[in-house]
Amino acid sequence: MTVSSKKLFIKTYGCQMNVYDTERMAEAMAPAGYVLTGDAGAADLIILNTCHIREKASEKIYSELGRLRRIKDLRRSEGGKTIICVAGCVAQAEGREIIARAPVVDLVVGPQSYHRLPDLVLRAGRDGRRLIDTDFPEDSKFAGLPERTVPRRAPSAFLTVQEGCDKFCTFCVVPYTRGVEYSRPVAEIVAEASRLADAGVREITLLGQNVNAYHGEGPDAESWSLAQLLTRLCAIDTLERLRYTTSHPRDMSDDLIAVHASEPKLMPYLHLPFQAGSDRILAAMNRKHSADDYLRLVERIREARPDIALSTDIIVGFPGETDDEFEATLELVREVTFAQAYSFKYSARPGTPAASLDSQLPAAVMTERLARLQELLNAQQMSFNKACTGTRLAVLFEKHGRRDGQLVGRSPYLQAVHASGPGTLIGNIIEVEIVAGGPNSLEADIISDTHLPLEAAAAL
Ligand code: SAH
Ligand code: SF4
Ligand code: F3S
């Protein structure tokens, strides 16, 4: 049977888990004849894969829907039809409001229902009824989605192994938008990773909102830890690099730290959010760790893997945060030293406990604190990058850069690396010498144009 070709446009907001979900949604729609397009105006189906984490992120959606209304009207005037779908975390959190506020939307689908997408799209197109599916179904979306189709892959891929969160930090919407913690079974992950590796993927980043709380069912019917899962994945010969994100300090177990020492395929980079440096604020955030716990944890990780590059997430201006408490955040940053970091002004999110605290801070205070924090973080990132000058690193080249003949890749420490070289190096791990370190990337000369075997890469 042949299906007529239809066009699908997906715009992705938010975290890497949404990037992964977008790929899976595109794959789910392929059997119904949908082919990806970069042109929203030509699409039969438009999906916005949304993020609810901060106010700015979710407000973007409504302005985007205004733009899509014009696209849809124009297409209708030409006799065409566009189905507009809102997916992702705003869909989950505000599904009914979207339907009420944005008549342009035909379909709202939450992150746990993507395996039902083809059927929902079919029904929305056929009946002309506006549909909403924001259940947390019993059946896992992963089991319901078609196997990954991986014709030609970029050298680096995401793979979601865990979803949802039971931690309930008081500022955060994720437990409400993604639901309870769920870990995919080991066999399912190994099969997916092997398919990706067979398609030429060299590096996989395992994803989860709480990836180090992973506890999926192993082949022995026991619950496996992330450390066990990583060790198993390291045994896939053609897979050369592994990473995982995002980790919670409380779930950074000894066996996981040990894998950083023992597995050369596990890259020396760890994203470990601490959010705030004051113990009072950490308690109010329900983080369940102190600043000192974090420092001691970092010490243990660095003992296991001395060159590890640390990255973090920080929130400034949590309700009631005093100047001194903010200073404690700066102090913790100074004590740890990060290679990279993401920092945000606190954003009150509907339905979260912190949003109803009456000690919300003025925007100007948050702006000033964020600027001071970012100045410190930028300086740390710059000195980390500069310190790489003159060293040799193994870089996985991923794509062409903006300049002619320029390639862009990633160092083991996840820095973007630019070098001049032939396109044939894309997809290979190549020895380079770093000639300059900038604020956001490194410049390098290529030392040898043959793919570095694992042992040689690890020895650099
Ligand atoms: N699961 C991860 C983070 C998920 S959200 C973890 O626990 O670390 C990514 C980051 O967004 C968080 O680490 C936090 O720094 C930030 N964030 C979450 N909610 C926020 C809010 N209400 N306001 C500002 N930043 C927020
Ligand atoms: Fe949000 Fe906290 Fe869960 Fe991270 S651990 S997703 S910040 S509730
Ligand atoms: Fe945003 Fe949802 Fe990810 S709220 S950060 S897209 S889990």
Side-chain angles (χ1 to χ4, degrees):
M1 190 185 79
T2 53
V3 273
S4 63
S5 167
K6 294 185 188 135
K7 293 206 169 68
L8 165 62
F9 175 85
I10 312 185
K11 187 160 182 180
T12 311
Y13 303 81
C15 64
Q16 292 132 321
M17 306 196 64
N18 267 10
V19 174
Y20 175 83
D21 284 344
T22 286
E23 285 185 21
R24 300 297 307 253
M25 283 193 271
E27 290 165 7
M29 294 312 297
Y34 283 89
V35 180
L36 277 176
T37 173
D39 175 10
D44 301 282
L45 170 63
I46 297 179
I47 301 177
L48 299 183
N49 192 5
T50 63
C51 173
H52 195 55
I53 202 82
R54 285 169 289 275
E55 191 180 354
K56 260 195 196 150
S58 47
E59 274 308 312
K60 273 188 202 151
I61 304 314
Y62 290 101
S63 53
E64 184 64 20
L65 286 173
R67 206 174 68 86
L68 294 186
R69 188 166 51 84
R70 289 187 289 280
I71 288 179
K72 187 171 178 166
D73 288 348
L74 183 65
R75 205 143 181 276
R76 188 185 290 129
S77 70
E78 292 163 350
K81 185 171 173 185
T82 321
I83 297 175
I84 300 210
C85 169
V86 178
C89 292
V90 181
Q92 188 64 46
E94 297 180 1
R96 291 190 190 286
E97 195 183 327
I98 295 168
I99 291 283
R101 195 169 147 186
V104 67
V105 174
D106 301 290
L107 175 60
V108 169
V109 53
Q112 302 313 332
S113 300
Y114 296 153
H115 52 308
R116 298 176 179 166
L117 190 65
D119 180 51
L120 290 165
V121 169
L122 185 75
R123 280 166 50 207
R126 190 185 53 204
D127 309 343
R129 271 185 37 228
R130 304 173 73 208
L131 299 173
I132 173 163
D133 186 342
T134 48
D135 294 346
F136 287 112
E138 281 292 307
D139 48 329
S140 145
K141 74 170 169 194
F142 297 105
L145 283 165
E147 264 194 2
R148 306 220 58 183
T149 46
V150 276
R152 266 188 67 238
R153 300 283 322 189
S156 173
F158 292 135
L159 201 176
T160 295
V161 302
Q162 180 277 329
E163 265 211 81
C165 178
D166 297 340
K167 295 265 186 321
F168 291 93
C169 300
T170 56
F171 52 81
C172 184
V173 291
V174 169
Y176 312 98
T177 61
R178 293 273 171 169
V180 294
E181 230 181 81
Y182 167 78
S183 297
R184 298 175 69 189
V186 171
E188 200 179 293
I189 297 165
V190 171
E192 188 171 330
S194 304
R195 284 174 74 88
L196 290 167
D198 287 348
V201 168
R202 302 259 196 201
E203 173 184 277
I204 292 183
T205 303
L206 306 183
L207 300 180
Q209 268 92 15
N210 259 291
V211 73
N212 58 344
Y214 175 85
H215 58 273
E217 190 189 331
D220 52 5
E222 298 288 320
S223 164
W224 278 33
S225 67
L226 183 65
Q228 287 171 289
L229 176 66
L230 282 165
T231 308
R232 172 65 188 86
L233 293 173
C234 285
I236 300 175
D237 274 347
T238 45
L239 200 57
E240 295 183 54
R241 287 182 163 193
L242 280 157
R243 303 177 186 274
Y244 60 94
T245 197
T246 292
S247 297
H248 193 289
R250 276 179 63 84
D251 296 313
M252 212 57 222
S253 56
D254 289 343
D255 65 340
L256 182 54
I257 295 175
V259 182
H260 278 281
S262 63
E263 273 301 343
K265 288 188 181 181
L266 184 58
M267 289 295 102
Y269 176 91
L270 178 65
H271 183 61
L272 194 63
F274 75 80
Q275 313 297 358
S278 142
D279 288 345
R280 192 189 72 87
I281 297 293
L282 284 169
M285 286 176 161
N286 192 31
R287 288 292 291 182
K288 298 204 172 80
H289 61 80
S290 66
D292 195 50
D293 292 337
Y294 189 85
L295 278 173
R296 279 187 288 125
L297 178 58
V298 164
E299 238 169 61
R300 280 165 47 225
I301 296 165
R302 283 187 168 144
E303 251 165 52
R305 182 76 210 221
D307 68 332
I308 201 156
L310 291 175
S311 147
T312 197
D313 289 345
I314 303 168
I315 296 176
V316 303
F318 184 83
E321 184 187 67
T322 64
D323 283 338
D324 283 353
E325 285 165 343
F326 170 64
E327 285 299 329
T329 293
L330 294 177
E331 191 47 38
L332 191 52
V333 170
R334 282 187 208 104
E335 281 182 72
V336 176
T337 331
F338 292 96
Q340 209 213 328
Y342 302 89
S343 47
F344 313 98
K345 290 181 208 173
Y346 169 76
S347 169
R349 306 307 293 128
T352 60
S356 55
L357 296 173
D358 46 17
S359 47
Q360 309 287 326
L361 295 187
V365 172
M366 293 199 251
T367 304
E368 191 267 338
R369 286 183 189 169
L370 187 66
R372 284 175 60 202
L373 174 62
Q374 290 187 338
E375 195 183 326
L376 175 61
L377 292 169
N378 290 342
Q380 291 191 346
Q381 181 166 337
M382 186 71 187
S383 66
F384 181 77
N385 288 347
K386 273 205 178 320
C388 294
T389 311
T391 61
R392 298 223 169 159
L393 296 177
V395 170
L396 172 57
F397 282 108
E398 294 179 340
K399 56 185 181 191
H400 291 282
R402 275 194 220 121
R403 267 188 282 121
D404 227 18
Q406 187 189 46
L407 303 177
V408 189
R410 293 275 172 189
S411 76
Y413 309 106
L414 206 64
Q415 296 144 299
V417 181
H418 297 170
S420 297
T424 47
L425 297 189
I426 292 174
N428 291 299
I429 295 173
I430 297 293
E431 181 174 353
V432 305
E433 181 166 315
I434 305 303
V435 293
N440 296 308
S441 62
L442 307 177
E443 291 295 325
D445 286 342
I446 287 165
I447 298 296
S448 152
D449 59 4
T450 50
H451 180 75
L452 266 187
L454 180 67
E455 301 73 37
L460 280 185

